[in-house]
Amino acid sequence: MTRNILFVALMASTMAFPALAGEFTLTSPDIAEGQHLNNYFVFQGFGCEGGNMAPTLEWSGAPKGTESFAVTVYDPDAPTGSGWWHWFAFNIPADITSLPAGDAINGVQLTNDYGTEGFGGACPPPGKVHRYQFTVHALSTTLDIDNSVSNALAGFMVNANSLASSTITAVYNR
């Protein structure tokens, strides 16, 4: 009986380790889940007056087989019918595990929905609180696309090749 209990305990602990090992996690000293964005991360223009800087992003626990990363910032609450892409960067090398504040990256950046390449800060219409989903994706490959593609096509390619992702959802309203 004791040997059976020991065996079950050993099997249970062995099966738990894969779930604990390699948990892919996104963190930031600048933003937090459910917290209001600082003015540094607000767009400069469209009636907003902010620093238009991307926050520092750090990630760990990328799954085995990760060849590159993609970082996106998306507002699903924008009154467009399709949300608002604030940032879409991909082909970030697998040995990179953080991006400093700003939007300089070693990778490809797409044109955001403001019409500029790189990061574009929060700037919702006055009133309703908007969610800003900062997501990092661990990809099984580098993407064979360039900065001329749409955010939708890049999103398709990222989702088709994603091994794992982690998101911090911050909020902002004015």
Side-chain angles (χ1 to χ4, degrees), residues 63-134:
K64 186 176 181 174
T66 298
E67 294 292 323
S68 69
F69 295 102
V71 172
T72 61
V73 180
Y74 178 71
D75 171 5
D77 303 312
T80 63
S82 60
W84 192 272
W85 288 102
H86 289 267
W87 199 16
F88 206 123
F90 59 90
N91 289 350
I92 300 167
D95 62 345
I96 303 291
T97 58
S98 66
L99 296 176
D103 73 353
I105 65 157
N106 183 1
V108 178
Q109 297 187 89
L110 297 182
T111 299
N112 59 43
D113 283 341
Y114 293 114
T116 61
E117 187 177 288
F119 180 80
C123 186
K128 179 182 170 184
V129 174
H130 284 233
R131 295 169 290 160
Y132 295 87
Q133 299 167 333
F134 292 79

Side-chain angles (χ1 to χ4, degrees), residues 19-170:
L20 296 175
E23 183 178 343
F24 191 49
T25 305
L26 174 63
T27 60
S28 175
D30 299 330
I31 61 172
E33 186 68 29
Q35 297 299 305
H36 199 264
L37 288 171
N38 183 295
N39 199 50
Y40 294 121
F41 314 118
V42 172
F43 191 67
Q44 178 64 40
F46 280 62
C48 291
E49 302 216 9
N52 203 42
M53 288 182 44
T56 299
L57 300 175
E58 302 165 340
W59 53 90
S60 62
K64 186 176 181 174
T66 298
E67 294 292 323
S68 69
F69 295 102
V71 172
T72 61
V73 180
Y74 178 71
D75 171 5
D77 303 312
T80 63
S82 60
W84 192 272
W85 288 102
H86 289 267
W87 199 16
F88 206 123
F90 59 90
N91 289 350
I92 300 167
D95 62 345
I96 303 291
T97 58
S98 66
L99 296 176
D103 73 353
I105 65 157
N106 183 1
V108 178
Q109 297 187 89
L110 297 182
T111 299
N112 59 43
D113 283 341
Y114 293 114
T116 61
E117 187 177 288
F119 180 80
C123 186
K128 179 182 170 184
V129 174
H130 284 233
R131 295 169 290 160
Y132 295 87
Q133 299 167 333
F134 292 79
T135 304
V136 62
H137 300 266
L139 304 179
S140 61
T141 188
T142 55
L143 301 181
D144 190 21
I145 53 178
D146 62 23
N147 70 345
S148 68
V149 302
S150 69
N151 287 289
L153 176 58
F156 174 82
M157 297 298 291
V158 164
N159 288 321
N161 293 285
S162 185
L163 298 171
S165 65
S166 184
T167 301
I168 297 171
T169 302

